[in-house]
């Protein structure tokens, strides 16, 4: 209960904009509770008037009943409105806040847990959390209504009241058993659900590769297996409810028969008049609902606590580490940076970078060459501070990146990845995402420098052409050139360029080369080169082997001094022949 109250306090924080409505919502529900208790009493009075032939009184009571019911409808309508507004506002602020926290997580946390955990918590758990006020209000109102009815029953006849009390205790014990079983299944169900969400996310992201590998069958089989396991859990949860509903319905019918026997006995004994017996029977139909309402309320509280735990874990827990940045802000970055004795390993991997040291000067173009898995991409990730280093220091313009704020690091670096993400909007809007106030002239200039302008002009709608999801109707080379145009617009001092591994035709490669040459001298450029022809003109080439710089120099120097580089170069020449 203590846990529930502190969780409720947390949810209350997010409903702050709508607290006045919450109070009005509660008042509406109190009015509806009072009406629920009054209505059976008026109905009984109508029957008494009928049996006593007091027709004038009967008509008067009928009008009163109608007015009372109308007011119930009005309160009900208001209550629905308030409940929806409160839910909406709480949900929006909660989901936005959690979204922000997820974006602050360390990259290694996302690597480790997969996307499903976060999708589920951001969608389902926040929704459950936001609905707590409505659920509380709804079921507490039901319970209070039933208690009111129960008290009215006590006033009319003690024996009938006692009988119903015993019925409630029996049904309550049954319900407790159900809630415990249900909650066990619910926990397992949510875990399975996260697994399936992660897997579906991966299928969608990797759909192109799955198709190309013709692996649809094995993915379908795995999906089938996971969905089957998930639905087994769902089936278990439903089975628990099914069994309970059956047992309790059978018992309720039996108890109803018992009540009729008791009421007839009381009438025959002269302890009860027929009209009151009718009121008691009307009440009795409702009273066992109290058990159901209490059950659902307890379920909902447990459900709410579980959702809170899952959301809190991300927001405040130690398991989900947040990125940390310093406070120093660099208004203008020149583009010098340095790795000094950097060691790094990924979670669950051996050491990837070992005592790595190198320096890059502003406006220099430096290429990283080495076998796949040598640690080249890792260097880029560390420079953007996607992962914290194990030891050693990385500096930008002489300042340790651990002391810099987020803007000074990521706001000054543009990454052009192997397969840049192009959004499903027009080319113009793709470029505008980088700079909302971009002029037509700037856009064309950037595209010309990126050697993509001519291609765009050949498209049916030019710059207004919509490119497919993920830019699928652009080739790899075109995507990279569009990303280079974005980099021109971003005007960051440092550009990290991960050359596409897939072989590009000579023409495209030349265009990309031209685009990179246009960037040179005005930017600090780091290139991960998969084809040495791209980087022959770099100012410097660093040859990376097992996370260390084993040689550095110009192309010519490395050909002479570095056997590994020479072998790579010769292998590439052979491939071309
Ligand atoms: P390169 O870019 O030179 O091909 P990477 O920097 O991508 O090499 O990878 C270096 C090593 O780190 C590889 O052994 C790779 O398997 C491992 N690695 C890369 N990314 C991750 C990750 N997110 N989690 C665990 N290991 C990783």
């Amino acid at each position: 209960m203590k846990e529930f109250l502190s969780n409720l306090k947390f949810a209350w924080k997010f409903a702050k904009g709508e607290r006045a409505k919450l109070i009005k919502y509660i008042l509406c529900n109190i009015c509806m509770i009072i009406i629920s208790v009054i209505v059976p009493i008026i109905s009984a009075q109508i029957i008494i008037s009928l049996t006593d032939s007091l027709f004038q009184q009967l008509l008067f009571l009928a009008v009163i009943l109608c007015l009372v019911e109308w007011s119930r409808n009005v309160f009900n309508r208001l209550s629905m409105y308030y409940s929806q507004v409160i839910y909406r506002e709480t949900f929006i602020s909660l989901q936005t806040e959690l979204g922000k926290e997820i974006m602050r997580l360390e990259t290694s946390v996302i690597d480790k847990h997969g996307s499903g955990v976060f999708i589920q918590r951001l969608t389902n758990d926040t929704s459950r959390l936001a609905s707590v006020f409505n659920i509380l209000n709804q079921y507490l109102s039901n319970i209070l209504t039933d208690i009111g009815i129960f008290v009215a029953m006590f006033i009319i006849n003690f024996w009938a009241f006692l009988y119903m009390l015993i019925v409630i205790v029996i049904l309550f014990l049954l319900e407790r058993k159900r809630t415990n079983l249900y909650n066990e299944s619910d926990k397992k169900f949510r875990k399975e659900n996260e697994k399936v969400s992660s897997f579906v996310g991966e299928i969608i992201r990797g759909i192109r590769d799955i198709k190309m590998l013709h692996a649809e069958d094995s993915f379908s089989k795995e999906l089938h297996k996971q969905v089957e396991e998930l639905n087994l859990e769902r089936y278990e949860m439903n089975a628990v409810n099914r069994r309970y509903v059956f047992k309790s319905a059978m018992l309720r019918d039996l108890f109803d028969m018992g009540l009729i026997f008791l009421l007839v006995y009381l009438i025959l004994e002269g302890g009860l008049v027929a009209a009151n017996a009718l009121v008691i029977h009307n009440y009795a139909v409702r009273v066992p609902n109290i058990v159901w309402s209490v059950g659902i309320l307890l379920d909902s509280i447990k459900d709410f606590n579980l959702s809170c735990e899952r959301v809190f874990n991300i927001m405040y827990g130690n398991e989900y580490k947040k990125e940390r940045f310093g406070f120093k802000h660099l208004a203008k970055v020149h583009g010098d940076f340095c790795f000094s004795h950097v060691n790094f390993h990924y979670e669950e991997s051996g050491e990837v970078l070992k005592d790595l040291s190198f320096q890059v000067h502003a406006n220099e173009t430096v290429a990283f060459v080495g076998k796949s898995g040598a640690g080249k991409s890792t260097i880029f990730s560390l420079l953007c501070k996607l992962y914290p280093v194990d030891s050693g220091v990385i500096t930008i313009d002489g300042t340790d990146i651990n002391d810099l704020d987020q803007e000074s690091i990521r706001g000054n670096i543009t990454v052009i990845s192997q397969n840049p993400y192009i959004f499903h909007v027009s080319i113009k809007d793709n470029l505008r995402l980088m700079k909302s106030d971009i002029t037509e002239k700037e856009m064309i200039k950037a595209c010309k420098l990126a050697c993509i302008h001519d291609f765009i002009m050949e498209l049916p709608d030019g710059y207004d052409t919509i490119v497919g999801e993920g830019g699928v109707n652009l080739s790899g080379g075109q995507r990279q050139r569009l990303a280079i145009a974005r980099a021109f617009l971003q005007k960051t001092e440092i550009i990290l360029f991960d050359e596409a591994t897939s072989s590009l035709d000579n023409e495209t490669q030349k265009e990309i080369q031209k685009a990179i040459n246009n960037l040179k001298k005005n930017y600090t450029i780091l290139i991960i080169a998969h084809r040495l022809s791209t980087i022959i003109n770099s100012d410097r080439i660093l040859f990376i082997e097992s996370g260390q710089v084993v040689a550095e120099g110009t192309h010519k120097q490395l050909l002479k001094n570095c056997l590994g580089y020479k072998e790579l170069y010769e292998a590439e020449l052979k491939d071309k022949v």
Side-chain angles (χ1 to χ4, degrees):
M1 200 60 192
K2 213 171 133 196
E3 184 194 357
F4 171 67
L5 289 178
S6 80
N7 287 341
L8 200 61
K9 226 165 106 186
F10 170 80
W12 176 246
K13 227 173 70 186
F14 287 92
K16 60 180 179 291
E18 303 300 337
R19 283 179 187 167
K21 286 205 177 76
L22 192 57
I23 301 206
K24 286 183 199 161
Y25 177 45
I26 293 170
L27 287 177
C28 283
N29 280 289
I30 292 176
C31 293
M32 286 199 289
I33 293 170
I34 296 170
I35 292 171
S36 297
V37 178
I38 291 174
V39 165
I41 296 173
I42 301 176
S43 306
Q45 287 303 320
I46 290 176
I47 292 168
I48 292 171
S49 308
L50 188 68
T51 46
D52 295 349
S53 302
L54 300 169
F55 294 115
Q56 215 170 0
Q57 185 179 325
L58 191 150
L59 293 178
F60 174 70
L61 286 171
V63 173
I64 297 285
L65 188 64
C66 175
L67 290 177
V68 170
E69 288 290 5
W70 272 2
S71 54
R72 184 189 349 227
N73 295 341
V74 172
F75 287 126
N76 193 26
R77 194 186 151 177
L78 283 173
S79 154
M80 277 164 73
Y81 162 73
Y82 292 135
S83 118
Q84 282 159 8
V85 173
I86 293 161
Y87 171 79
R88 187 190 66 200
E89 293 306 314
T90 316
F91 186 47
I92 291 173
S93 54
L94 193 60
Q95 211 174 34
T96 314
E97 201 54 37
L98 184 63
K100 270 194 217 156
E101 293 296 327
I102 290 175
M103 279 189 267
R104 286 184 51 217
L105 290 174
E106 279 190 3
T107 318
S108 59
V109 172
I110 314 261
D111 289 349
K112 185 176 160 196
H113 293 274
S115 59
V117 175
F118 305 104
I119 295 170
Q120 283 299 323
R121 294 180 195 203
L122 192 63
T123 49
N124 286 350
D125 289 303
T126 45
S127 169
R128 289 181 193 217
L129 225 154
S131 55
V132 67
F133 300 112
N134 302 339
I135 289 175
L136 268 188
N137 217 332
Q138 184 187 339
Y139 289 105
L140 276 179
S141 305
N142 286 352
I143 293 166
L144 287 175
T145 310
D146 295 334
I147 290 176
I149 287 172
F150 209 40
V151 171
M153 211 174 205
F154 175 74
I155 294 168
I156 298 172
N157 187 280
F158 172 74
W159 295 110
F161 162 79
L162 190 65
Y163 177 81
M164 286 315 292
L165 191 64
I166 295 167
V167 169
I168 284 173
V169 171
I170 296 171
L171 290 177
F172 187 71
L173 292 177
L174 196 68
E175 173 64 19
R176 272 291 291 273
K177 217 170 134 196
R178 182 197 72 85
T179 4
N180 289 340
L181 288 173
Y182 183 85
N183 283 314
E184 282 297 306
S185 296
D186 188 30
K187 257 192 188 164
K188 282 192 213 149
F189 174 76
R190 292 198 202 194
K191 276 234 159 76
E192 289 297 328
N193 207 4
E194 284 179 350
K195 249 171 70 186
V196 174
S197 287
S198 280
F199 190 62
V200 170
E202 274 168 30
I203 292 181
I204 305 289
R205 276 193 299 278
I207 192 77
R208 280 150 60 94
D209 291 302
I210 293 172
K211 283 184 182 186
M212 282 189 281
L213 291 167
H214 192 46
E216 290 97 330
D217 272 355
S218 51
F219 273 85
S220 295
K221 270 186 203 142
E222 180 57 30
L223 183 65
H224 177 76
K225 197 175 125 216
Q226 292 200 10
V227 173
E228 205 170 29
E229 277 165 20
L230 175 69
N231 278 287
L232 211 67
E233 281 310 327
R234 201 197 306 265
Y235 181 81
E236 256 325 295
M237 284 165 75
N238 292 338
V240 168
N241 281 347
R242 225 176 23 244
R243 283 194 289 270
Y244 166 79
V245 167
F246 176 71
K247 277 186 202 162
S248 80
M250 296 298 268
L251 274 177
R252 278 177 74 162
D253 292 339
L254 190 69
F255 292 139
D256 193 36
M257 186 184 74
L259 179 69
I260 294 171
F261 283 2
L262 176 69
L263 292 176
V264 170
Y265 173 75
L266 290 172
I267 293 171
L268 291 178
E269 284 295 300
L272 192 68
V273 292
N276 279 348
L278 207 63
V279 174
I280 288 175
H281 193 255
N282 274 346
Y283 280 157
V285 176
R286 281 212 57 169
V287 168
N289 285 348
I290 196 170
V291 177
W292 183 72
S293 301
V294 169
I296 301 231
L297 187 67
L298 292 181
D299 267 359
S300 308
I301 289 176
K302 280 194 181 149
D303 206 50
F304 168 71
N305 281 343
L306 191 61
S307 288
C308 280
E309 191 188 310
R310 288 154 57 88
V311 169
F312 287 178
N313 273 349
I314 294 182
M315 284 185 158
Y316 314 115
N318 292 330
E319 192 187 350
Y320 299 93
K321 275 200 210 137
K322 303 279 161 48
E323 287 186 314
R324 287 213 192 145
F325 291 94
F327 298 102
K328 199 164 173 189
H329 182 71
L330 297 179
K332 173 110 184 79
V333 163
H334 296 292
D336 287 303
F337 62 87
C338 171
F339 273 55
S340 174
H341 305 289
V342 170
N343 288 291
F344 173 76
H345 79 284
Y346 291 100
E347 211 160 311
E348 293 158 20
S349 85
E351 196 142 68
V352 174
L353 301 184
K354 294 164 206 150
D355 198 32
L356 179 76
S357 296
F358 66 88
Q359 197 168 0
V360 175
H361 302 291
N363 300 336
E364 214 184 352
T365 300
V366 175
F368 292 87
V369 178
K371 287 192 186 131
S372 161
K376 303 178 296 290
S377 308
T378 305
I379 294 174
F380 279 18
S381 301
L382 296 191
L383 188 57
C384 296
K385 214 179 168 207
L386 290 186
Y387 301 90
V389 296
D390 296 342
S391 62
V393 180
I394 300 172
T395 59
I396 294 182
D397 284 358
T399 310
D400 185 340
I401 60 168
N402 287 326
D403 298 332
L404 291 177
D405 64 5
Q406 190 173 4
E407 172 64 23
S408 301
I409 305 171
R410 300 202 185 142
N412 285 308
I413 299 177
T414 303
V415 181
I416 302 171
S417 64
Q418 288 190 11
N419 195 0
Y421 193 82
I422 305 295
F423 296 92
H424 181 54
V425 288
S426 68
I427 292 179
K428 206 183 249 175
D429 288 337
N430 261 294
L431 295 169
R432 274 213 185 102
L433 284 172
M434 296 300 118
K435 195 169 175 250
S436 53
D437 56 348
I438 174 184
T439 62
E440 194 102 342
K441 223 166 126 189
E442 281 176 301
M443 197 179 330
I444 292 173
K445 189 173 162 205
C447 289
K448 277 188 176 162
L449 283 170
C451 304
I452 186 83
H453 173 74
D454 293 342
F455 164 75
I456 295 173
M457 293 314 287
E458 279 168 20
L459 292 172
D461 296 320
Y463 279 83
D464 290 315
T465 307
I466 308 276
V467 278
E469 198 175 335
V472 278
N473 52 9
L474 295 182
S475 73
Q478 286 151 358
R479 271 204 292 270
Q480 279 212 325
R481 277 181 287 153
L482 199 57
I484 293 176
R486 287 201 303 215
F488 276 120
L489 292 169
Q490 263 177 308
K491 293 200 171 118
T492 59
E493 294 304 318
I494 302 169
I495 295 176
L496 310 183
F497 183 74
D498 195 352
E499 191 191 44
T501 38
S502 53
S503 53
L504 302 173
D505 59 87
N506 275 345
E507 204 50 41
T508 310
Q509 206 177 322
K510 265 191 209 150
E511 296 277 281
I512 289 185
Q513 186 60 52
K514 237 164 65 190
I516 297 174
N517 287 344
N518 287 335
L519 288 166
K520 269 180 165 180
K521 301 298 170 209
N522 295 319
Y523 300 86
T524 306
I525 306 171
L526 299 196
I527 306 175
I528 295 180
H530 301 287
R531 273 176 307 277
L532 303 188
S533 49
T534 324
I535 48 134
I536 284 171
N537 296 325
S538 303
D539 299 326
R540 227 158 15 115
I541 298 167
L542 304 184
F543 190 72
I544 311 282
E545 217 171 66
S546 309
Q548 284 176 315
V549 179
V550 291
E552 72 170 278
T554 59
H555 174 65
K556 274 188 188 154
Q557 286 167 338
L558 285 183
L559 273 185
K560 225 192 266 169
N561 306 330
C562 178
L563 185 65
Y565 185 81
K566 194 167 172 242
E567 279 172 6
L568 268 185
Y569 186 64
E570 281 167 359
E572 192 178 308
L573 282 183
K574 241 188 244 158
D575 281 349
K576 278 195 175 163
V577 176

